[in-house]
Amino acid sequence: MNKLDIGGFRNIHHLKMRPNQRTNIIVGNNAAGKTSFLEAIFYLSRLRSFRTQRLGHLINWSNQKCHVFAKRGDDRLGVTRSENATKIRVNGMNITSRTVLAKRLPVQLINTEHQRLLLDGPKVRRNFLDWGAFHVDNKYRKIALRYQEALRQRNAALRYGHDRLAASWIPTLAESAAAIDKSRRQFIDSIHPLWAELTYTWLGIEGLNLTYIGSSPEDGDWLSFFYSNRARDSRQGYTCKGPHRADLRMTLTKTPVAEILSRGQQKLLVVALLLAEVKLWADQGLQPLLLIDDLAAELDIHHLAYVMQSIANIEAQVFLTAIDSKPLAVINQDADWYALSSGCLEPMRHF
């Protein structure tokens, strides 16, 4: 991003900046607005928050609406949120498709919640898979929507005992399932080498593995798979298996890492996974944004240095927040430093 303008967003009344194209460090006390700053950038890309599902809560109590505008290269991107409506503008035109912003502004967030990717249920990991595939496969969203519609129609037919109608949806379901499965597997195959390299460099542990479980046939024959499971699906009243039941597993010598590694080690595994995804996006020429919320509070100085060096090797624009600037002395690349207080941003000298 070349320019950023945030207004009426939580405790940020009005903030403008010209970000560094590589690294931006925002320092401030608790409740200064650091997380809200990152949330605003995330909202501009995804049109959702990583903190709440109630988007009306994003609006400052003294305002009737909030906005986030950005200039990125030749693109002018903006979103305005009122209590009940969202207005999206791209290059001066009103846009209805929410994916337009996501495509132009690929964003990855690393915060205190990132360990959920390992510890929560498969839905969180499928979301990671879908965003990863979305940014490297231009057809992925269309295919995924087609699969979801076929799945919804088939499940409705199964629920009401209409077996012939349910069977009529199998060819569409199988075709889109095969495409989803292929894109996800290619995505994991692409990030696995860097993930393995980072985890070994940071932790010195051999035998770590990242495995995609597609709830899929390994041979790729989805049509035969769905037909062979018709009787079971009919008894259950829904489609029991498919890409909608996929998962991603991290193991050490076939044992889930959550059972044998410390929480600190688990955090690093997930950070490595997210950075591998960002590196893939960067290598694809997507110019990703990396949002990092108070990483220094999560890691010791030794591992923080490893992580920051790895980030420096990725062609991404970084926005990093911290309460204390001193642990960030490990950052040796050029960076712009800012002090954030009560929603106001001011340039600061490198401690």
Side-chain angles (χ1 to χ4, degrees):
M1 289 191 295
N2 311 101
K3 295 180 181 180
L4 179 64
D5 181 329
I6 304 170
F9 195 98
R10 293 200 184 266
N11 62 337
I12 300 176
H13 288 280
H14 201 186
L15 178 157
K16 289 185 177 182
M17 71 181 298
R18 291 178 178 271
N20 186 306
Q21 294 304 295
R22 290 294 284 122
T23 306
N24 301 270
I25 302 170
I26 294 89
V27 179
N29 295 325
N30 287 326
K34 300 187 304 299
T35 302
S36 297
F37 174 83
L38 298 183
E39 184 184 19
I41 299 173
F42 188 89
Y43 179 64
L44 179 60
S45 172
R46 300 280 185 90
L47 290 178
R48 66 179 182 86
S49 165
F50 56 80
R51 300 167 72 185
T52 181
Q53 293 184 345
R54 298 182 178 182
L55 297 183
H57 290 180
L58 302 180
I59 304 170
N60 184 279
W61 64 271
S62 63
N63 293 70
Q64 294 184 338
K65 60 184 180 181
C66 65
H67 73 259
V68 187
F69 303 142
K71 187 173 186 299
R72 193 178 201 216
D74 294 331
D75 282 333
R76 290 173 289 118
L77 313 173
V79 58
T80 303
R81 173 75 194 186
S82 61
E83 184 63 32
N84 299 309
T86 300
K87 183 178 180 180
I88 307 166
R89 286 181 67 81
V90 175
N91 298 327
M93 298 180 60
N94 292 329
I95 300 294
T96 57
S97 172
R98 291 171 173 252
T99 61
V100 172
L101 290 174
K103 278 291 186 184
R104 283 172 165 77
L105 206 65
V107 65
Q108 181 57 272
L109 171 72
I110 297 176
N111 64 1
T112 56
E113 298 293 312
H114 66 254
Q115 202 169 356
R116 291 181 54 202
L117 189 60
L118 180 61
L119 301 179
D120 281 10
K123 183 177 180 180
V124 175
R125 292 181 287 278
R126 284 195 295 271
N127 186 58
F128 168 77
L129 291 165
D130 288 337
W131 277 109
F134 167 79
H135 280 299
V136 296
D137 182 351
N138 290 329
K139 298 179 181 179
Y140 187 81
R141 174 172 163 76
K142 183 177 180 180
I143 294 166
L145 289 175
R146 188 181 183 196
Y147 178 82
Q148 289 298 328
E149 176 61 16
L151 181 67
R152 186 181 68 82
Q153 295 285 357
R154 183 169 190 257
N155 283 348
L158 289 168
R159 189 163 55 250
Y160 290 104
H162 302 319
D163 290 345
R164 291 184 62 183
L165 179 59
S168 71
W169 282 100
I170 287 180
T172 301
L173 197 69
E175 182 181 4
S176 50
I180 289 172
D181 190 60
K182 180 180 178 181
S183 290
R184 286 176 173 175
R185 290 183 187 277
Q186 288 177 341
F187 168 60
I188 294 302
D189 288 345
S190 296
I191 66 172
H192 192 287
L194 180 58
W195 177 79
E197 178 186 335
L198 291 176
T199 53
Y200 182 75
T201 300
W202 297 352
L203 297 172
I205 299 175
E206 296 182 341
L208 286 166
N209 196 36
L210 185 66
T211 306
Y212 173 65
I213 309 298
S215 279
S216 48
E218 294 295 329
D219 61 4
D221 188 356
W222 283 93
L223 190 63
S224 297
F225 176 80
F226 283 127
Y227 274 122
S228 66
N229 283 282
R230 286 176 63 186
R232 181 185 60 183
D233 290 347
S234 181
R235 290 193 303 270
Q236 296 295 325
Y238 62 91
T239 306
C240 297
K241 289 189 176 183
H244 60 290
R245 298 295 187 197
D247 201 355
L248 185 64
R249 295 178 185 172
M250 296 185 205
T251 57
L252 176 59
T253 58
K254 299 185 179 181
T255 304
V257 295
E259 297 179 10
I260 52 178
L261 296 186
S262 70
R263 291 186 67 85
Q265 290 172 319
Q266 292 173 31
K267 288 178 182 179
L268 286 168
L269 292 185
V270 177
V271 171
L273 186 65
L274 299 177
L275 290 187
E277 179 183 43
V278 174
K279 178 67 162 57
L280 174 63
W281 292 350
D283 291 346
Q284 297 275 339
L286 300 179
Q287 300 178 309
L289 273 65
L290 180 58
L291 312 180
I292 308 174
D293 197 10
D294 208 9
L295 187 64
E298 294 282 301
L299 303 175
D300 58 59
I301 293 295
H302 177 69
H303 286 108
L304 180 63
Y306 273 139
V307 172
M308 293 311 303
Q309 182 56 53
S310 299
I311 291 172
N313 294 332
I314 299 174
E315 289 294 326
Q317 188 175 29
V318 180
F319 294 87
L320 186 151
T321 68
I323 295 176
D324 184 2
S325 63
K326 291 180 180 178
L328 300 179
V330 298
I331 298 176
N332 54 22
Q333 70 267 35
D334 290 336
D336 285 353
W337 295 71
Y338 299 89
L340 185 62
S341 177
S342 300
C344 297
L345 194 68
E346 295 290 342
M348 65 180 284
R349 296 184 66 182
H350 187 307
F351 47 95

